[in-house]
Amino acid sequence: MNTKHLVLGLMAAALSSGVLAANRPSGYVTITTEGKTATVAANTNVAFGRADQFFYKVLSGSFTCNEATFGGRIGGGVNECSASGSSGGSSSSSSSSSSSSSSSSSSSSSSSSSSSSSSSSGTGSSSSSSSSSSSSSSSSSSSGTGSSSSSSSSGGVPPAGLMGFAAIPAFGLDTTTGGAGGRAVKVNNLTDLRTLTDSNERLVIFIDGTINMGGMVPLRSDKTIMGLPGAKLTGGGFEIYKRQNIIIRNITFEDAPDDSLKINQNTHHVWVDHCTFTDGPVADPEGTNHDGLFDITRQTSHITISNNHFKNHNKTMLIGHSDSASGDTGYLKTTIHNNFFDGTMSRHPRLRFGEVHVFNNYYLNNVTYGATSTMEGKLVVEGNYFKNVPFPTLVGYAESGPGDIVQRNNILDNSGAFQTRGSAFDPASYYTYTVANPASLPTTVPANAGVGKIDPWAATGVAPF
């Protein structure tokens, strides 16, 4: 047998045994290869890539498996297109291709078992005890800041308190579980933090004390970042680029010159809860030394922002990169609920193109505006309380064209009138939710929003160490 035949034989054996299943995410079925066309059922989650790195898109009907369709490709070999679960699909190319669609891989959901062994890593202690959420094993791998790593979550249930877009299935994930089921680690310095957040290991990372970030720090998939009492990240924040399945809770983000959280480039399933975002004790009303607190851009989707306290800042939250980023249409699905926008001036949020549900938030002294929808964005503003807000909602803003705004069941207290347009969308078509009486929000939201309101150990299911 010559070398070429030997290699082909080994590849065929590997395919039949599932060794090369990394060319599709776990639980996906290969339907065609790069450059060919295929047909899928309506609203099918399709992955494009190879070697555990993928771009995701929701597609219907016929499409071409190429870079133009998915907005990028993975170098080093031929990319594949695969569909989630049993939705499958058919290739319309007449050329021969391997029938790997019959070897779909399914990720089994294993219940997490706790272990009492512990180890030391740098100055941060770590524990191999795992949390009680039913998350699956991770098959992520990395290529620098290349494309998204793959992570599967089979049969997972949302953590207590999570609702909205981050809780529901999309792009091959059942819900957002973060690092549940992974190793638990405590860190108190930037070196260890950066090493852990930039790894592919499923982790629950506890922040202990104050860490100066020195700018933006990369955060990869399958992570829970949980602050212990007094946890604070200053001088920067996290950049989440082409990642998925991340939870960030109970942390104060302070004095970031760029963004505190930058979530972009096809990232999905992120939950940010019970955090405090601020410029710090020195006021910067013009934003001279600070950019935004929170950016969600470039086909990112399925984000929930809940129970946070935003204060002492100008431009709070941007959803949608620019007026020219029309590719964000159908993405940027974000739920914003029970947050305290405390004297922040604008962008709560500023929306372009996406679908955003804003409910049960308390807006106080927001002097520029509350929320705005531009560039055909779809914004539902429901059951909120606006106090001393001259412009609760704006249709269009500055040079950006108008978007839809639906408002219902809100309270205006010494505030201006709503601007509305169109029908936006129906959040209940995606998930179930309950709107509290907005009259209660000036009391309930400040009492519950921000850091120090949850038990970090109980919230992660990890025993204190």
Side-chain angles (χ1 to χ4, degrees), residues 202-274:
R202 184 182 296 275
L203 291 168
V204 179
I205 302 171
F206 291 95
I207 307 296
D208 187 14
T210 298
I211 299 176
N212 189 321
M213 302 289 274
M216 303 303 290
V217 171
L219 178 57
R220 294 185 184 268
S221 303
D222 305 319
K223 302 289 188 294
T224 294
I225 311 295
M226 176 67 74
L228 294 175
K232 182 183 294 186
L233 301 179
T234 65
F238 291 117
E239 179 166 14
I240 306 172
Y241 180 88
K242 296 183 180 178
R243 305 298 172 189
Q244 59 205 40
N245 192 31
I246 291 168
I247 295 173
I248 301 171
R249 305 182 75 185
N250 203 43
I251 298 168
T252 294
F253 291 85
E254 183 175 292
D255 197 23
D258 189 1
D259 300 310
S260 294
L261 289 177
K262 184 178 292 184
I263 307 175
N264 60 15
Q265 292 288 0
N266 301 96
T267 291
H268 59 93
H269 287 91
V270 177
W271 180 29
V272 181
D273 177 71
H274 278 103

Side-chain angles (χ1 to χ4, degrees), residues 13-82:
L15 279 168
S16 65
S17 65
V19 172
L20 296 186
N23 278 352
R24 59 183 181 270
S26 179
Y28 277 54
V29 177
T30 299
I31 55 176
T32 194
T33 54
E34 188 171 5
K36 300 177 183 178
T37 58
T39 302
V40 293
N43 299 315
T44 297
N45 293 319
V46 180
F48 173 69
R50 59 178 297 277
D52 280 332
Q53 301 170 66
F54 305 100
F55 295 90
Y56 294 87
K57 201 158 190 179
V58 179
L59 297 173
S60 302
S62 179
F63 70 95
T64 302
C65 180
N66 62 11
E67 181 177 0
T69 299
F70 291 86
R73 72 179 301 276
I74 308 305
V78 176
N79 286 230
E80 295 183 2
C81 282
S82 52

Side-chain angles (χ1 to χ4, degrees), residues 290-359:
H290 303 87
D291 190 14
L293 291 176
F294 211 130
D295 281 6
I296 300 170
T297 62
R298 300 184 185 277
Q299 298 187 352
T300 286
S301 199
H302 288 72
I303 312 297
T304 294
I305 304 164
S306 59
N307 303 295
N308 299 291
H309 187 183
F310 298 90
K311 61 182 181 177
N312 191 19
H313 189 78
N314 185 348
K315 301 173 182 177
T316 305
M317 190 184 307
L318 177 69
I319 303 179
H321 176 260
S322 66
D323 290 355
S324 63
S326 58
D328 283 339
T329 302
Y331 295 87
L332 306 180
K333 299 182 191 298
T334 304
T335 304
I336 302 170
H337 73 90
N338 290 95
N339 299 283
F340 185 17
F341 297 114
D342 181 10
T344 45
M345 298 178 69
S346 65
R347 298 188 180 182
H348 315 95
R350 174 174 178 168
L351 169 65
R352 297 178 175 101
F353 299 109
E355 296 181 347
V356 175
H357 184 203
V358 176
F359 75 95

Side-chain angles (χ1 to χ4, degrees), residues 125-199:
S125 59
S126 64
S127 165
S128 60
S129 63
S130 57
S131 60
S132 57
S133 176
S134 59
S135 63
S136 69
S137 62
S138 168
S139 61
S140 9
S141 74
S142 158
S143 176
T145 57
S147 58
S148 171
S149 59
S150 169
S151 168
S152 61
S153 173
S154 60
V157 295
L162 173 59
M163 67 174 70
F165 278 115
I168 65 174
F171 307 109
L173 287 184
D174 290 338
T175 188
T176 304
T177 57
R183 186 165 60 98
V185 185
K186 188 188 298 181
V187 296
N188 59 15
N189 65 87
L190 180 59
T191 300
D192 287 348
L193 178 63
R194 183 182 286 272
T195 298
L196 292 164
T197 61
D198 203 23
S199 78

Side-chain angles (χ1 to χ4, degrees), residues 408-423:
R408 55 180 177 250
N409 193 30
N410 298 285
I411 292 178
L412 298 177
D413 181 354
N414 193 36
S415 296
F418 290 106
Q419 292 184 10
T420 61
R421 172 185 184 260
S423 58

